Structure formats: structure tokens, C-alpha cells
Amino acid sequence: MSDRRPETRGTPYAPHTAADTAAMLSAVGVDSEADLFDVPESVAFEGAFGIEARSERAVRREVRSLLGRNGDLVEFLGRGHYAHYVPAVVDDLAGRSEFLTSYTQYQPEVTQGFLQALFEYQSLVAELTGLPVANASMYDAATALGEAALLADRVREASGSTVLVPAHLRASAREVLETYVAGATLSVESFPMDDGAVDVAALHEQVDEETLLVYAETPTVRGVVEERLAAVGEAAHAVDALFCVGSDLVALALLRAPGEVGADVVVGSADVLGLGTTYGAGLGIFATREAFLRQLPGRLVGASTDAEGRRAYTLTLQTREQHIRKERATSNICTNQAWFALQTAMHATLLGPSGLVDLAEGCVRDARDLAARLDDLEGVEAPVHDRHHLREFVVRTDRPAPEVAGGLRDRGFAVHVIQSAADREELLQVCVTDVNAHATDDLVAAFAEVAP
Amino acid sequence: MSDEQTGRETTERAYDQARYAQNGENEPLSIETGRREIDPGEGSALPDDLTRDSLALPSLSEPELARHYTRLSQMNWGVESGPYPLGSCTMKYNPSFTEDLAAATTAAAHFDRDNADLQGTLALLYELQDWLGRVGGMDAVTLQPPAGAAGEFTGIQIARAYHRSRSDPRSEVIVPTSAHGTNFASATMAGYDVVELPAGDDGRVDLEALEAAAGAETAALMLTNPNTLGLFEREIESIAEIVHDAGGLLYYDGANLNALLGRARPGDMGFDVMHYNVHKTFATPHGGGGPGAAPVGVREELREFLPRPHVRRVEGTAGEDDGAPAGDDGSGSPRFERYDPPNSIGKVHGYGGNWPVLVKTYAYLARLGDEGLRDASAKAVLNANYLAELIDLEVPYRPFHHEFAATAADRDAAEVARRMLDSGVHPPTTKWPEQVPEAMLTEPTEGESKSSLEDLAAAFDAAVDADADELASAPRRMAVRRIDQASAARNPRLSWHALEGSAADDPESHR
């Protein structure tokens, strides 16, 4: 084995012995590796990056030490990025190298396993959204919303150029939407809320022939379950605009399927299953009606048969995609989040419908119970909106919200400050799921100390 | 394949993919073995009109789940299964140790924490921005774009913001014919008309054609270098001059950066904006089609347009970073912060991009360092050249670097590719780029040993030498045979609900 040890300090992930390298150079007919590069001297790089190579153990120590600088807080944070407990078997199975180290399934005969897993993912999303066509994933909820607006712009049924979004929308989601539609010269406007839900009467006033798409969320970024989704859809359809609903796969297990209340497109977070907290790395849902199939962005796995008549899976309708259609593609999306989709499907399948509904139901009850306990405290009112909530809710404090949040932080808890100004209400937001529910007693106690 | 004695022979290897057949069909769908249907509204805390009446999904116990997905994994090919020489994809070995770093609990922080409570995450991001800038010769880097195409879109939006800031809006982006399809689509999404640039006879940019195409409407030229034939654009300085003289920017598609690490940098070649495909060049796993990440690097003049937020060192703390981890005593003030660049293009991802992938990128760069990165390119280019020497196919365009486009000539490249599967290798990218007839774009990467390249060459030759019947009927040893693509597209069945006679809606299959 000693001859396999590299003589020079090169990459540890190239298997070449010095003898191999010499034999290969000789076979190619050059004296050195440098001779293989056809780079003019004037642009050749002779300097150094100044990145020092480390042993694997040293890198581990360094990264763990670096990440250890993140404050040790129990997070009651949500607003679009949620954590539910992911069983170890999910990470373990997804980590199998046949999945993790494979490429997009352009060679379907040798990638049936991943194709079937993505077909199962698409099917889960179709069942949960109530729409028949779901793609094999988008980057995240915000970019999926951007793609929904671009799809609306492509289909014949809608002709306006204004995308209407709720006033209560995560600012970053709106910013991504605006970036996505800038090239298509669409504009984004917001419609007002009524106690945390869509102000349907105001929306009816606002829609007109310029409206391309109406977007609404359930639950909203403030955790409010939207009760009048069908009426929102009617407002959109009254002016021939498309209706897009944003949600997440856990909420959709419990809530009425958007496809049943008129949604033309469903976007949102699939990453609530399988992923956990990842600084916001996500997995976007994209589902739509059959009529828009050929305008769908992204990859689709379809069922077919092989030469022996056996069921087989393959990427299909690829003529929509950039590698075939180039500038006329429905989207530029190529690599996206397939491995996360695999994890999501695994997690959903392990929970099953009962486990999923229990998880969602827990999010409703835990949020309601925590809000009630906080509401009993001096200087605290919760929930601010008199609505049903899922996972999270807004809290009004008598003291300035940043001061209350700072006090909570000193006691080991992170919550959102969503509004604080001299002339406005002081608002915090709190998110509770199965991963932090064990700490709610301590959170309530901390609120009791810092809120009055 | 690691057996040295047999590895030097050119006898053909064979591979039988594992599969579990039931009545001739492969592993059933999860819904077919575990369908459950419930009424979610029953006993809900929510009113009846807000909840659904039924939900039918698979439910597998943990042992069943483990077996289902293990069997699916056995019907799938990864880099650890064998050679995966997809041209333009850089399917190199993915170091194991980076996985558990990305999965560390301290890495699992929410984006909405205060900067002060994210000092570890921000320190890693800051350092990674800096390293990538050095590798590409760029002055500032954003880590937000979640994939290569998103990086292109970001870079072109930055070019658009730059031109608008000078009150010089332009309408065209020039893209060589042989570029990745994403270039065309990204430029279009950003609102530009695409001007296609045909290649010269030598496979490189034709300077006269570029002169003719570039003008007052040119916002940018998007270029891959080495290009998709593996050729270095020798006239890159003239190309840059033509584009810059026309007032346009030069965009570098980082798909082929693995050819150049430590040998040449886009910034030194005159590029103004670039993206890095970390899932190619820096060995983060492709995951069956993502997540990847595509940081975008820019020259100083373009820094103000980067997506928000960007990470920087807090003023006055420079130099305090080395040594003891911060935050231990709780007294240190934050050293890194997120800020909004003054003329930002906005956001291209809802949060900070694909963070776990960025952790893996950092770990890979730290592990290899300068010498390792330079060696990775050297071995990648050596491997491509050695493999091309061994195979019987002609390679019309040379000198190539990390990849080459061989031609299957009078054979159908897709059939040759399917035949290669039976030899226990993944085939190359086929029928692209288009200027090579029946192209087989081959990129072995530095991860293949001399003997595995010899196996790969034997697989090429066996496929090319196969008779017409054998080619048409390949593959024979995979979980499925040749798939009917036409009927998949003509009659799209995209979920288990669409399968005739499926258990998806068959109450008899309830367990």
C-alpha cells in the first residue's frame, strides 16, 4: 500500500500514484501536467490563493469551533422557515451514496430509484395540494412564487401585468418575486388585510383587468389560517386573473386542499418535512392544473413502460426545459432541490396521513395554548389577530418589542420583532412546533419576567 | 475496479443492477403497499369548513421505509458506484466528512436571528466569500444563488442594474451557440433578447462574428472557459476588449472551472461577473439534481448591486478574528454582520441560499488548500487526456482540458451510451454540444484512477463495437430496459393518481 501514498501534497481525492501519473503523462505524450494547459501566458495565474490545506480532523475542529460561535438559543422562530423533528432514519437513508452522489436522471435506465422517489414526491404534493400536476421541486417558496407569476404571464387565460400579494407577506418573498418579474415587466402591488386575514371586500375593489395573479397564503406569514380562501379565488377569477395559494405540506395535511377552493397554482414550503432548520435552505412546492402542464417550470417525472412492458419512470415533457428549448424555455431552472425532495417524501411516508395530521393539529393546538398563556401575562396580548393559527402568532407588548425580545434573548430564547415604532404597536411573533414545545413553560416564565 | 492487476487489462466488465421483481414489476410504489385514507377534519381544533374531508397517502413503518428506500437506492447510480463521466457536470468524488459538518446542530440556526446570535454562521460565510473571490480573481462574492441557473440570473440582473445606473439600458445578451441552455433562458428571464454567436471552425469564439454582434445594445457576453468542447478561449483578452469597447460586461459561466483551478482566474482574463458551481468544482454532492449553490463574484464596481443581504466584517474589528472562538465570554461585540448593498438588485432566494451546501464548500476548500485545488485541476485534465488516448473514438476538437467531445460517428450516441451501462459505467453526456456529430461529451474528473479510466475506455470500445441489434436492445442488465419516451410525453402520467388500476384509489389495498 505504501506506493499508493501521494508523494506530493495534492488533492486527497485523486487516486493517482506518482508512477500512475508518470505513465499517463507518457501515454499522452507530454512531460508534465503543466504542458496539458493551453492557457496563454498573459492570463496564466502564477500567484497563490493563500488557502492553507488542513487535515480532515483539523477542518472538522475548525468548522465546529466556528459554528460554536452561534448563540445557544432555543428558537421560537418561523415566518416561513419552520422546524419539525426529522427522524434519524430519513437522514440515514437519504445519505446513501447512490442517492446523494447521483446526477439529475437524464439516463433513466440507471436511475430508476431516484426517479421513482421523485414520482412519489410529485404524487404526495398532488394529493396534498388537490392539484393534479406537481413538479419535482423548486428552490424554495419565494422563488416558486416568482415562477407562478411568470407562468401566469405565459398562459392565455390571464392577460394583465399586475401581481397582487397580501400586505402581510414576508418582505424577502416579495423581494424575490419582484426580482423574478422584473424581466417580464410585471408589477407587484399589495392588498390590505383585515385582522390578519385577506380583506376580501377591499380585494374585490382592487382587482381589475390589469390583474394577472392574486396570491394569498394559508397559514399567512403571521400564522393565520385564511378562512375565506374560496372568496379570494372568486375575486381573482372575476377578472380572469389566476389564483395562487401559498402553504406548506404539514398545513395542507389538515387544511382544505387549495385545489378544491379554486387555486390555479399552489406554491409554498415542502421543506417543513425532512429538513429542519437550515438558515433558510428550502424546497419549493409547485403544483398546478392540467391545463397549464406544458407551461410548468422545472422537472417532471412521468411513468412509462420499458421494452419488456414493465413500469418505468423517466423525466418527461423536457421540451419545456432550458437544455432543449433554450431562450424559449418555461424557466431557466436546472439543478434544484431533488435530494431535499427525497427527504421530504421519506418523512411524509414515515408519518403517513395520520402522523401528518397529528403534526398539523399539534401546531394548531400548541399555538392556541401558548398564545392563551402569554395573554394571561401582564403587558402581553396574544394572539393579536382573532383568528385560528397554525404554529405561530403575533404578540402585542406594552414595552418596546426590541426590549422584550432582548430580555428573552438574555434568558436563552429567540423570537421575531416584527414591528416597533413610536407611533405604532409593539409586535413580536412566536412560533411553536414539536421541536421547541418542550420549552414553552420556560418561555412563558421568561415573558413574565421581561414583559411587564 | 480497484484491483490493480485486472485493472490494467482491457477486458470488458459487466454490471447487473439489483432489483426486486414482483410479477415482473420492480419495487412497488409506497402507495401500493402502504395506502391509508383518513378524515383529517375529524376531531380537529379547526372548524369543519376549514379542514379537508379525506387524505390518502402511503404510511410505512420505519423498517418498511428503510427497505423501500434501500431498494430504490440500489436502482440508482452514484459517484461511489463507479465512473460517472458526464461532460459539463463534474461528477467528482464527494468527501464524506463534509456531510456531518453541514448537519451539525450548531449549523442549524434560523436566518431571522440577530447578527449577534449568528456569529458562527456569518464568520463561515464571510470567509467563504473571501476564498471564492481569491479563487476566481473577483473582488466581492454573494452566496445567495441556490443553483447555477440562479447564479446566471443573478449575474445578469447585476449587469442590468449596472447599465441602468449609468442611464444606458441595453437590450441584448450575446451567448455562444455551444453554451449551456441555462445561459439563454437566464438572459431571457432577466428581460434580454438573446443574440446567438456561432463558433468559428476551431470551436472557439469567432472574433469577427463577435465584432459584428457586439454593439450599443450589448449588455453582456456570457462565456464558458474552457468552453463546452473543453477548449480554452485563447483570444480571451481580445474578446474582453471587444465586449468592453462596446460598453458590455463579460460574464463567466463557472461550469468548467474545475479545469483551471490555480492555473487561470476569470478575473484576470477580463471577466466582470461570474458564478461558481460549487456542486461541480468544489465537490458538494449533486444529490440527484440538487441542492447545489452558485455564488456570484463581481468586480469592485459591481459590488453595490449584489443581492441583499451581503456579509461583511464590522468596521473596527479587522484582525481580531483569528485565534480564540468568539462568544465564549459573551463580552465580544459582533465581528460580522449582514448589510444591504446600496443599489442591490434585491433578493434571488427567500433566505440565504443553500446553506448546508455552503458549509460543505467551505470544508472542501479548507481541506484542499492551494496545492490541492491546483492538483485537482491537473489530475482532471490529465485524466481526460489519458482517457481520450485510450478510446477508439475520434475527438475532433483539441487541445481540450478537463473534458472532451468524442464523436460516435455513424453510431447513435444515445444507443452507445445505453450499451455502456451494461459495462458498469455511467455514459458521458450525449448529442451535445451540437457542433460535434453524435457527441459524447466526456469528463472523467480527477477522482478516477488510471485503472478505472482503462475500464471506462473498455466500456466505450465495447459499446462502439457492438452490433446494431445489441445497441438497439441495450441496456440489458439494468432494472429496466429501454424506456418508451414518446408515450411518456404523449400520455403524461405524473402521479400515482394517474396510473390505471393503481392502488392509489383502490380501497382493497388498505392494510
Side-chain angles (χ1 to χ4, degrees), chain A residues 207-240:
Chain A
V207 294
D208 59 24
E209 70 276 6
E210 269 307 299
T211 309
L212 175 69
L213 181 81
V214 175
Y215 176 66
E217 296 182 334
T218 186
T220 69
V221 69
R222 292 185 170 197
V224 170
V225 176
E226 181 56 64
E227 292 174 38
R228 302 185 62 195
L229 217 46
V232 176
E234 283 160 19
H237 292 149
V239 292
D240 290 333

Side-chain angles (χ1 to χ4, degrees), chain A residues 4 9-11 13-16 24 33 37-38 40 42 44-45 48-54 56 60 62 64-66 69-71 73 75 78-81 96-105 107 109-114 116 119-120 122-123 127-128 140 143 170 172 175-176 179 182-183 252-256 277-280 293 302-308 310-311 313-314 316 322 326-327 332 335-339 346 349 352 361 365 388 409 416, chain B residues 4 17 19 24-25 27-30 32 43-45 47 50-52 56 58 60 68-69 72-73 75-80 84 89 91 94-95 97 100 106 108-110 112-113 117-118 120-121 134 147 149 157 181-182 184 186 188-189 191 232 234 237 259 263 265 285-291 308 321 325 338 347-351 354-355 362 366-371 375 378-379 383 401 418 446-448 479 481-482 484-485 487-488 493-497:
Chain A
R4 296 195 68 86
R9 290 209 303 155
T11 170
Y13 311 117
H16 307 62
M24 291 164 75
E33 290 163 344
F37 290 85
D38 182 33
S42 54
F45 178 66
F49 303 142
I51 304 171
E52 198 185 330
R54 291 103 153 141
E56 179 176 313
R60 288 173 88 111
E62 179 186 322
R64 287 183 184 280
S65 156
L66 208 56
R69 299 182 193 179
N70 285 335
L73 298 172
E75 295 177 341
R79 290 185 64 82
H81 186 38
R96 289 183 66 92
S97 70
E98 298 91 334
F99 289 135
L100 182 63
T101 73
S102 66
Y103 194 68
T104 305
Q105 301 75 27
Q107 197 71 51
E109 305 87 356
V110 74
T111 48
Q112 284 296 296
F114 217 123
Q116 181 172 332
F119 184 84
E120 292 179 0
Q122 289 175 183
S123 304
E127 175 72 14
L128 287 162
D140 70 348
T143 56
R170 191 181 163 90
S172 63
E175 289 176 27
V176 171
T179 311
L252 287 173
L254 179 61
L255 302 179
R256 243 180 113 184
T277 301
T278 54
Y279 194 60
L293 173 59
S304 185
T305 49
D306 76 352
E308 293 182 345
R310 164 199 303 136
R311 189 195 293 161
Y313 305 93
T314 182
T316 192
Q322 46 74 28
K326 297 166 101 172
E327 66 270 25
N332 70 338
T335 291
N336 54 87
Q337 310 291 95
W339 191 59
M346 286 176 176
T349 303
E361 193 68 31
R365 292 173 193 270
H388 297 288
R409 183 216 178 207
H416 301 277
Chain B
E4 269 183 64
Q17 196 175 44
R19 66 186 188 93
E25 297 286 350
E27 173 72 5
L29 290 163
S30 53
E32 291 170 321
S44 175
L50 292 183
T51 58
R52 53 197 303 156
L60 298 182
H68 178 61
Y69 283 103
L72 292 187
S73 78
M75 293 193 288
N76 218 64
W77 186 263
V79 172
E80 292 185 15
Y84 215 137
C89 303
M91 296 297 288
N94 311 128
F97 82 102
D100 51 270
T106 47
H110 195 291
D112 288 352
R113 282 182 177 214
D117 300 324
L118 270 173
T121 296
R134 297 190 214 181
Q157 289 281 8
T182 47
F184 302 85
S186 299
T188 304
M189 263 178 80
F232 193 89
R234 291 173 182 147
E237 289 165 293
R263 305 276 170 181
R265 305 192 303 173
H286 277 74
R308 60 181 166 242
D321 182 43
R338 290 170 290 188
K347 287 187 68 75
V348 295
H349 185 272
Y351 296 87
N354 279 328
W355 157 254
Y362 178 92
R367 178 81 181 93
L368 266 67
D370 282 31
E371 292 164 58
D375 185 49
K379 294 298 188 293
N383 277 3
H401 291 79
R418 282 191 286 269
E446 68 272 22
E448 299 305 322
R481 303 286 294 268
R482 190 168 177 167
D484 184 352
Q485 297 289 347
S487 80
R493 293 182 298 164
L494 308 173
S495 76
W496 55 52
H497 308 86

